[in-house]
Amino acid sequence: MRRSDRIALISKTLSENPNKVISLNYFAKRLGAAKSSISEDLDIIKNAFINAGEGEIVTIPGASGGVRYRTQRSKQDIQKFLQDFCKILQEEKRIIPGGYLYMTDAVFSPVYSRIIGEIFAQLFIDCNPTHVLTVETKGIPIALMTARALNVPMVSARRDSRVTEGPSVSISYVSGSGQKIHNMSLAKRALPENAKVLIVDDFMKGGGTARGMMELAAEFKAEVIGTAMVVTTAVPKEKLVRDFTSLLILERIDTNEGKIYININDKLL
Amino acid sequence: MRRSDRIALISKTLSENPNKVISLNYFAKRLGAAKSSISEDLDIIKNAFINAGEGEIVTIPGASGGVRYRTQRSKQDIQKFLQDFCKILQEEKRIIPGGYLYMTDAVFSPVYSRIIGEIFAQLFIDCNPTHVLTVETKGIPIALMTARALNVPMVSARRDSRVTEGPSVSISYVSGSGQKIHNMSLAKRALPENAKVLIVDDFMKGGGTARGMMELAAEFKAEVIGTAMVVTTAVPKEKLVRDFTSLLILERIDTNEGKIYININDKLL
């Protein structure tokens, strides 16, 4: 096999397996080449990716070593994506009677959810999360894509508990407005003890649901290493959770004007 | 930029955007190369991918043309994956009191859901689906990954309807055992008229839920081009839906022996 063929295949394998350590032996065996040649191939790919802002390839030395590809977007790229995403969310047709913002299609899109998941992964990868936790339903696509970029399992709590999930831990939590009590449950076998959990959801207003997930994580003796939201409302300013990261801030929805005021969180970058 | 650098970057872009038509102009501009050079790069990548069983790259001629990458696994590769997946699902610890099979972690895994999604996409891509439809919750990761491989939107019905989704269409449907009536609703803005829908779910017993999704699709004047399940039970043999594709067949669960009998659907390949 020629070098150019190997470069095509190695680039594909790395892109498809973010944050997974792949041994040089694997590539050498699969591509029928010496480890030294694979090593040279990897240097070429590494430089090509870095120079194009297409993520980083890190060599991990030692017996269990290999190479690992991680998405790594520049501040400018993230800003550009979020600007475009804001524009999409500002379309007038997204205003739902009652003054809500319809964004299900956007967070369910495989294209946007992948990019958002990669941004979340990039923001929290240094905290070494072992699991991504969300609660059904709307957070699942983003949580899945975050888990994919981190190469860890995704775990979703349910609003009800199901017999097909086996024994589960349930908690009650209060919505941010304090007016409603909800339930959330997670199958016992879904999360091992001492997990390091990244909480992911699409939308936060009062923070009740996020707080609920934190309390649920505590029941599993898990450590919450971060809370990542796609959109957080500006009001109420005080949320039930203190530390969270939000990509976008929904300032307000003017139903008379038909306008949605939503901005990039300027503390983010 | 050298050819090897271009090959690394083009391979990455194609792998990350399955089924998306990307113009040669895009690559030429981004990589600062003549279209004829890009064309040669693509021939190299195309042959490397094909020879390694890593999917196909098709050139689409004309003004709106370009190249498109599609996953394309061999029968042997699919069989090998499904054998491994069967082994995972046969682990004794997966038997839940009541004789259910716990498979949430498997279908929520970013690794398995991606491969299953790519297999579903491969099986149905020639029917040109415009949307992938599922119902919350457990089918969402597989549906999302199928939608990603097809490069179409994913749409999920809900068991309840939410004010934040706007006006919706609701239906009632009967479970396969005929003992329970359930509801399912889909936001009106989620699915345009005349969509071509691929129904995806993780598990089917009687087929009531799948039938519900077909009826819901009909309310949206959508055409159902296929129904794809990860696991279907062998009993009851007669389901409420006639045409469906299942990767695996769950023969039975022996709670006394602690054994799960699950096989690859031999009609599949």
Side-chain angles (χ1 to χ4, degrees):
Chain A
M1 198 180 278
R2 286 173 307 170
R3 163 143 291 155
S4 52
D5 293 356
R6 293 199 307 266
I7 287 180
L9 294 169
I10 296 173
S11 300
K12 179 174 194 280
T13 303
L14 291 172
S15 311
E16 285 180 344
N17 296 284
N19 213 33
K20 182 176 174 181
V21 177
I22 303 175
S23 71
L24 264 59
N25 269 335
Y26 169 84
F27 286 125
K29 206 173 155 191
R30 214 192 130 194
L31 306 176
K35 269 171 76 173
S36 56
S37 306
I38 300 292
S39 211
E40 286 165 30
D41 300 341
L42 283 165
D43 279 338
I44 294 169
I45 299 171
K46 193 174 178 166
N47 288 323
F49 279 21
I50 282 285
N51 293 334
E54 285 281 351
E56 57 167 19
I57 293 169
V58 176
T59 307
I60 295 122
S64 63
V67 281
R68 186 190 62 205
Y69 158 72
R70 276 182 181 174
T71 56
Q72 186 68 42
R73 287 186 161 74
S74 67
K75 280 188 186 186
Q76 290 87 324
D77 280 357
I78 295 177
Q79 202 128 23
K80 174 76 175 58
F81 167 75
L82 292 178
Q83 275 164 2
D84 293 347
F85 197 60
C86 267
K87 267 188 206 143
I88 290 163
L89 294 184
Q90 274 167 334
E91 293 162 1
E92 186 175 346
K93 61 174 187 190
R94 294 188 171 276
I95 300 177
I96 283 176
Y100 295 98
L101 173 64
Y102 180 76
M103 49 181 262
T104 309
D105 62 330
V107 291
F108 273 22
S109 145
V111 177
Y112 299 136
S113 62
R114 175 172 77 85
I115 298 173
I116 294 170
E118 288 177 0
I119 294 171
F120 280 168
Q122 183 174 334
L123 294 172
F124 291 95
I125 203 160
D126 293 331
C127 305
N128 299 310
T130 62
H131 294 77
V132 174
L133 174 67
T134 190
V135 61
E136 60 180 7
T137 306
K138 274 168 57 200
I140 292 179
I142 304 277
L144 182 75
M145 290 302 191
T146 308
R148 171 162 150 66
L150 291 166
N151 189 31
V152 300
M154 189 269 283
V155 173
S156 176
R158 306 186 66 109
R159 309 264 180 196
D160 54 358
S161 74
R162 285 282 179 112
V163 62
T164 51
E165 300 278 293
S168 64
V169 177
S170 293
I171 60 152
S172 295
Y173 66 97
V174 180
S175 68
S177 59
Q179 292 180 324
K180 277 191 191 163
I181 294 178
H182 301 274
N183 289 301
M184 195 188 281
S185 75
L186 184 59
K188 271 196 154 179
R189 56 191 86 204
L191 199 59
E193 279 197 3
N194 303 316
K196 294 174 82 174
V197 161
L198 173 62
I199 290 174
V200 166
D201 212 349
D202 63 319
F203 192 83
M204 177 162 79
K205 193 177 173 189
T209 305
R211 175 78 169 264
M213 282 192 265
M214 294 181 77
E215 286 166 5
L216 193 56
E219 289 299 319
F220 283 79
K221 295 194 172 63
E223 179 194 348
V224 175
I225 60 98
T227 301
M229 297 284 150
V230 183
V231 177
T232 309
T233 55
V235 181
K237 208 182 165 190
E238 294 293 315
K239 313 286 189 198
L240 289 178
V241 289
R242 220 168 265 198
D243 289 325
F244 61 87
T245 301
S246 180
L247 300 182
L248 305 177
I249 310 284
L250 178 62
E251 299 293 340
R252 64 190 181 91
I253 297 176
D254 191 319
T255 45
N256 293 327
E257 267 188 318
K259 276 201 175 169
I260 297 161
Y261 296 89
I262 186 165
N263 297 312
I264 301 176
N265 175 11
D266 52 23
K267 283 180 210 145
L268 185 71
L269 298 170
Chain B
M1 196 180 279
R2 286 173 308 171
R3 164 144 291 155
S4 52
D5 293 358
R6 293 199 306 264
I7 287 180
L9 294 169
I10 296 173
S11 299
K12 180 175 193 278
T13 302
L14 291 172
S15 311
E16 285 180 345
N17 296 285
N19 214 32
K20 182 176 173 180
V21 177
I22 304 175
S23 71
L24 264 60
N25 269 334
Y26 169 83
F27 286 125
K29 208 173 154 191
R30 214 191 130 196
L31 306 176
K35 270 172 75 174
S36 56
S37 306
I38 299 291
S39 210
E40 286 166 32
D41 300 341
L42 283 165
D43 280 337
I44 294 169
I45 299 171
K46 191 173 178 168
N47 288 322
F49 280 21
I50 281 285
N51 294 333
E54 285 282 350
E56 57 166 18
I57 294 171
V58 175
T59 308
I60 295 121
S64 63
V67 281
R68 185 192 61 204
Y69 158 72
R70 275 182 181 175
T71 57
Q72 186 69 41
R73 287 184 160 76
S74 67
K75 280 189 185 185
Q76 290 87 326
D77 280 357
I78 295 177
Q79 202 129 24
K80 175 74 176 60
F81 167 75
L82 292 178
Q83 275 164 0
D84 294 347
F85 198 61
C86 267
K87 269 189 204 140
I88 291 162
L89 294 183
Q90 275 167 333
E91 294 162 1
E92 188 176 343
K93 62 173 188 190
R94 294 189 169 275
I95 301 178
I96 283 176
Y100 296 98
L101 173 65
Y102 180 75
M103 49 182 261
T104 310
D105 60 331
V107 291
F108 274 22
S109 146
V111 177
Y112 299 135
S113 62
R114 175 173 75 86
I115 298 173
I116 294 170
E118 287 177 2
I119 294 172
F120 281 168
Q122 184 174 332
L123 293 173
F124 290 96
I125 203 160
D126 293 331
C127 304
N128 299 310
T130 61
H131 293 77
V132 174
L133 173 66
T134 191
V135 62
E136 63 179 3
T137 305
K138 275 168 59 201
I140 293 178
I142 304 277
L144 183 74
M145 290 301 190
T146 308
R148 170 160 150 67
L150 290 166
N151 190 31
V152 300
M154 190 266 285
V155 173
S156 176
R158 308 187 65 112
R159 309 264 180 195
D160 54 359
S161 75
R162 287 280 180 115
V163 62
T164 51
E165 300 278 293
S168 64
V169 177
S170 294
I171 60 152
S172 297
Y173 67 98
V174 180
S175 67
S177 59
Q179 292 180 324
K180 276 190 190 165
I181 295 177
H182 301 274
N183 288 302
M184 197 188 279
S185 74
L186 184 59
K188 271 197 154 177
R189 55 190 86 201
L191 197 60
E193 278 197 5
N194 303 317
K196 293 174 82 173
V197 161
L198 173 61
I199 291 174
V200 166
D201 213 348
D202 63 320
F203 193 85
M204 177 163 79
K205 193 177 174 188
T209 306
R211 175 78 170 264
M213 282 192 267
M214 293 180 77
E215 284 166 6
L216 193 55
E219 289 298 320
F220 283 80
K221 296 195 172 66
E223 179 193 348
V224 174
I225 61 99
T227 301
M229 296 284 149
V230 183
V231 176
T232 309
T233 56
V235 180
K237 208 180 166 192
E238 294 294 315
K239 314 285 191 199
L240 290 178
V241 290
R242 219 167 266 199
D243 290 324
F244 61 89
T245 300
S246 181
L247 300 182
L248 306 176
I249 310 284
L250 179 63
E251 298 293 340
R252 66 190 179 92
I253 297 177
D254 190 320
T255 46
N256 294 326
E257 268 188 316
K259 276 201 174 168
I260 297 161
Y261 296 89
I262 188 166
N263 297 311
I264 301 176
N265 176 11
D266 52 21
K267 281 180 211 144
L268 185 70
L269 299 169

